[in-house]
Amino acid sequence: MCGIVGYIGREQAAPILLEGLSRLEYRGYDSAGVAVFDAGTNTLAVHKAKGRIQVLSDQLHGGADLNSTVGVGHTRWATHGAPSDVNSHPQVSRSGRIAVVHNGIIENYAELKSFLRTKGVPFRSETDTEVVAQLIEHFYEGDLLAAVGKALHRVRGAYALGILCADCPEQLIAVRKDSPLILGRGEGCNFIASDVTAILRHTRRVSYMEDGELAVLTRDGIRCYNHLMQPVEKAAVTIDWEIGAAEKDGYEHFMFKEIMEQPQALRRCLSPRIREGEVVFEDVSLSGDYIKNLRRVCVVACGSSYHVGMAGKYHLERLTRIPVEVALSSEFRYMDPIVDQNTLIIVISQSGETLDTLAALREARRLGGHILSIVNVVGSSIARESDQVLYTWAGPEIAVATTKAYTTQLALLSLLALWLGRRLGTVPDQDYRQMIAAFQELPDRMEEVLSRRDDIQYFASNYFNHGSIFFIGRGLDYALGLEGSLKLKEISYIHSEAYASGELKHGTISLIEDGTLVVALSTCGRLFAKAMSNVAEVKSRGANVLALTVESHREEMARTADAVMAIPELHELLLPCLGVVPLQLFAYYVALMRGCDIDKPRNLAKSVTVE
Ligand code: M6R
């Protein structure tokens, strides 16, 4: 959601900015822009365009039109003001001498705008960001840093900012509060970026900005300050993954590539944590006493990560016998949650930057909860603010629709449940051994599922024209349905709902009519008979049923359902990890057949950094 990239060095800035922005496309955006310092005229050259980065790049001939070695670029995901050239960033001050790119929301922008209007400042855009540029200029009396400090003192909200001033072409200013921003350290050049993918081609050495910090970048160094403007030393870390991991590698879409990468991602996530038949969490230190005194677990997350929590509740409760609540982060933070030192808060987030989840984490911490997070992006805000972090090690996930992050999160949460259960003595030895074996088998079984992708493509070709699709299931299959339904709607734009099968009769079944597509999920052996009854119920009302079950039930299911997708047998608790794959593929192929923009679905962002 909004992407920032900034460069100061000795090379031409504009091509670097445009290339960096294209690497941030996956975050979701509707317009793009750059501002560079033009040494010829001693002014800032600002270029913006609604639509894809390619539009802007074409206008600037790939950046060749701009001669400058310092600049900032931005992809905007509209919040205040519709997508348009004028509302795009960079936003500039009245004189055009200060340019600002911003990720986040300035909450008191209306109040600040009124204040500035009383001082005669005219506004061009509807954005909250323009207020920041104008406010800095309002306070500017020759000392840019002082003006930025004064302006920030007045601003409330969440922001990552890149600031350029025509009077100070030898520096670039970066500020972070509640929105991600990193500093990239090169040789004779330095960078700012919303995430590492934007600058990885130029440097692997990055520093993570903390909330309230401000950085002044020059060609030869970076000075950082805390919120009191006291200098702070920032450590640099080296990013160890290759840029290729964030490229399509010959695949048509990132989503498909990431679906196919899942067995490998699971191996990376699980293998180091299972040694000689035991779960080993070197990255978690919860004492035996703490675990024994645990009274409650609360899982907090958004979107697909929340669905992981919905499935994980079954694992955690079954293996630990501790009550588990699963909360949407956006609700949790305002619901006066019950949390104390005997509550373990499990925060799940692929990006580690989802603002609602970060806020929920902070609220839980304030109330005394112990925070254990399951995160993919190393060094992200949620990871850094947690007491313990379990990284999923799925590698960079670029497609907006999450796939490999979901499966690794779910596998890791299940493994955590098993580890806790073992330490609590609530998992019988034999069950423990069976589950360990199942975890070790999981990547291979997933490969089998992926090898049958043509079957799913065939089903998608039969059903891609449906206007509304229901997913039904019980227990873990209900949790799986939530994810299958979200996957489908977010990339194919087909209306879709997931229901606990038993709930159908309480209202929703009235929507089932001739030809309605129902995806019936029935991987859980214990509940197979119940699932069959629900399939019969919707069939007798005219539904077309596409079922998902395990191999051993394929035949029986095929007697009632119109079509059956089957997955290999595995321990019941791990079946959602396998079962989600046909649903991801189904969503993918349906979206492909409908001509949708699969990696960048409309209105969505990869990392939701505003409330
Ligand atoms: O980065 P997070 O896991 O915190 O993101 C949470 C949701 O925004 C995310 O899972 C979203 O629902 C995905 N687009 C679903 O595919």
Side-chain angles (χ1 to χ4, degrees), residues 302-306 348-354 357 382 400-403 409 483 486-487 490 604-608:
C302 298
S304 292
S305 298
Y306 169 76
I348 308 178
S349 175
Q350 186 285 130
S351 61
E353 299 293 351
T354 302
T357 306
I382 289 174
V400 165
T402 181
T403 52
Q409 285 168 348
E483 179 59 8
L486 177 63
K487 218 69 318 163
E490 71 179 326
L604 294 180
K606 181 68 181 164
S607 169
V608 182

Side-chain angles (χ1 to χ4, degrees), residues 409-438:
Q409 285 168 348
L410 185 52
L412 200 47
L413 184 56
S414 317
L415 197 65
L416 177 68
L418 186 62
W419 181 77
L420 286 170
R422 178 76 161 167
R423 297 186 75 185
L424 284 165
T426 43
V427 185
D429 240 28
Q430 198 194 352
D431 292 4
Y432 183 77
R433 302 278 155 239
Q434 279 174 357
M435 277 205 78
I436 293 282

Side-chain angles (χ1 to χ4, degrees), residues 439-457:
F439 275 111
Q440 288 171 320
E441 247 186 85
L442 178 61
D444 292 351
R445 297 289 83 77
M446 192 173 280
E447 255 157 20
E448 266 176 59
V449 177
L450 288 166
S451 70
R452 295 184 213 149
R453 59 187 177 278
D454 289 355
D455 296 349
I456 314 291
Q457 186 167 19

Side-chain angles (χ1 to χ4, degrees), residues 5 10 75 94 136 197 278 330 449 545:
V5 59
R10 295 184 170 84
T75 46
R94 159 189 208 172
I136 295 172
T197 47
E278 290 293 332
S330 51
V449 177
V545 175

